Amino acid sequence: TMRGIVGLLFEIAVLVSLVAAVCCNAAVVGTCEFLNLGGGLGQIGPWRADVGGSGCVSWDKADTDEDDWLTNMARACSVMALAFGCILTFFGFFEQCLCPLPCGRKLMDLSGALVQISLALV
């Protein structure tokens, strides 16, 4: 029936949105273009940097003596957002496709809110 087809299309849209969100969170972890340094100095991201045209390479905070709490916060929050996004996708997949899990709705609401908070803190 028409009602079943519309429901199926909405379920597919929800699952595609969840997968896209996890991919976007993973892109935040791997991006170099999170902050432009200006003056042709390059860009940095939470985990990778392109400073002075060296290319987008991983950078280790152990190379510096500075205690950069902003970078630490961005790194921690980007990984938290990715983890909570995976949890949200897992419970969303079970809710939409297989069978509702115990406390699945509450965990989806909680992990969705924590993804938003974590990305806002990045």
Side-chain angles (χ1 to χ4, degrees):
T1 66
M2 185 64 165
R3 190 173 188 174
I5 293 172
V6 171
L8 176 66
L9 291 176
F10 277 111
E11 286 183 14
I12 291 171
V14 166
L15 290 175
V16 167
S17 298
L18 288 172
V19 170
V22 169
C23 292
C24 290
N25 289 343
V28 167
V29 172
T31 188
C32 279
E33 300 171 357
F34 201 73
L35 175 67
N36 282 328
L37 298 177
L41 295 175
Q43 301 102 5
I44 61 172
W47 297 93
R48 301 171 64 77
D50 178 13
V51 179
S54 61
C56 189
V57 296
S58 293
W59 59 281
D60 189 9
K61 293 184 331 122
D63 296 339
T64 65
D65 295 333
E66 310 243 347
D67 183 25
D68 189 2
W69 68 272
L70 286 173
T71 304
N72 292 341
M73 181 74 157
R75 284 182 169 197
C77 289
S78 64
V79 172
M80 285 182 359
L82 183 60
F84 289 129
C86 290
I87 292 169
L88 178 63
T89 303
F90 175 78
F91 283 103
F93 177 75
F94 270 88
E95 182 83 22
Q96 295 289 331
C97 297
L98 300 177
C99 62
L101 297 173
C103 299
R105 176 62 59 190
K106 290 180 183 177
L107 288 173
M108 284 175 53
D109 293 341
L110 180 64
S111 61
L114 291 173
V115 164
Q116 294 297 318
I117 291 169
S118 297
L119 287 177
L121 289 173
V122 170

